[in-house]
Amino acid sequence: MSAETAHTTPDPDKEDLEQYVDQRLFDDSMGTLADHTARKAALGDERRYAILFLLWEREEVARKELAAAIDDDSFDLSHHLGELIDVGLVARTGAPEDGDGRQTFYKITHLGRQEIDTDFRNITGSDPSQ
């Protein structure tokens, strides 16, 4: 490591640890450490993760189809979709051209796709694009 690099690298002993991680890992390119941990927390619920995985596979899904896939009247789908939307993993969209315009559709975002792509690679050992 050069002397120049040593001077520009933040020192976790001299500053707030979260700020250190923000600078070293995120550097405002993908939000902050708080944004990242909020996404991970949202995925800590098995059904929310399953919803994101279904959207990853199908790209866009109607709310009615998501409700049928969950098949549990006690599950508050609106709340959980809201959690995924709030952290930027899912987006609400209009109906596709051939879809029912009266329904709400949801699609995975770039961040959501990255989450599942990474897990797919780590768990299966294969590239999700193949």
Side-chain angles (χ1 to χ4, degrees), residues 1-12 20 24:
M1 181 189 305
S2 71
E4 184 177 313
T5 304
H7 294 294
T8 60
T9 303
D11 183 352
Y20 171 78
R24 296 286 295 146

Side-chain angles (χ1 to χ4, degrees), residues 9-67:
T9 303
D11 183 352
D13 295 329
K14 294 183 180 176
E15 62 184 283
D16 182 284
L17 185 57
E18 288 83 3
Q19 182 182 4
Y20 171 78
V21 174
D22 273 339
Q23 289 176 335
R24 296 286 295 146
L25 185 58
F26 297 99
D27 196 27
D28 292 326
S29 63
M30 295 294 288
T32 65
L33 176 61
D35 297 333
H36 184 70
T37 56
R39 285 191 296 272
K40 295 297 186 187
L43 292 175
D45 181 274
E46 292 174 9
R47 289 195 180 145
R48 279 196 298 259
Y49 190 95
I51 288 168
L52 191 65
F53 189 86
L54 181 64
L55 291 168
W56 178 78
E57 287 191 325
R58 299 196 184 160
E59 198 67 37
E60 191 170 60
V61 177
R63 185 189 191 293
K64 184 177 179 179
E65 186 179 345
L66 289 171

Side-chain angles (χ1 to χ4, degrees), residues 45-116:
D45 181 274
E46 292 174 9
R47 289 195 180 145
R48 279 196 298 259
Y49 190 95
I51 288 168
L52 191 65
F53 189 86
L54 181 64
L55 291 168
W56 178 78
E57 287 191 325
R58 299 196 184 160
E59 198 67 37
E60 191 170 60
V61 177
R63 185 189 191 293
K64 184 177 179 179
E65 186 179 345
L66 289 171
I70 292 168
D71 192 30
D72 181 351
D73 294 335
S74 68
F75 184 75
D76 185 354
L77 182 59
S78 295
H79 167 76
H80 291 286
L81 284 169
E83 291 279 328
L84 294 169
I85 290 168
D86 287 348
V87 296
L89 298 172
V90 170
R92 197 177 284 115
T93 66
E97 287 185 28
D98 61 342
D100 182 349
R102 297 171 294 173
Q103 290 191 53
T104 304
F105 285 76
Y106 296 89
K107 69 182 236 174
I108 192 167
T109 64
H110 178 73
L111 286 172
R113 184 159 295 288
Q114 284 181 324
E115 288 286 342
I116 300 296

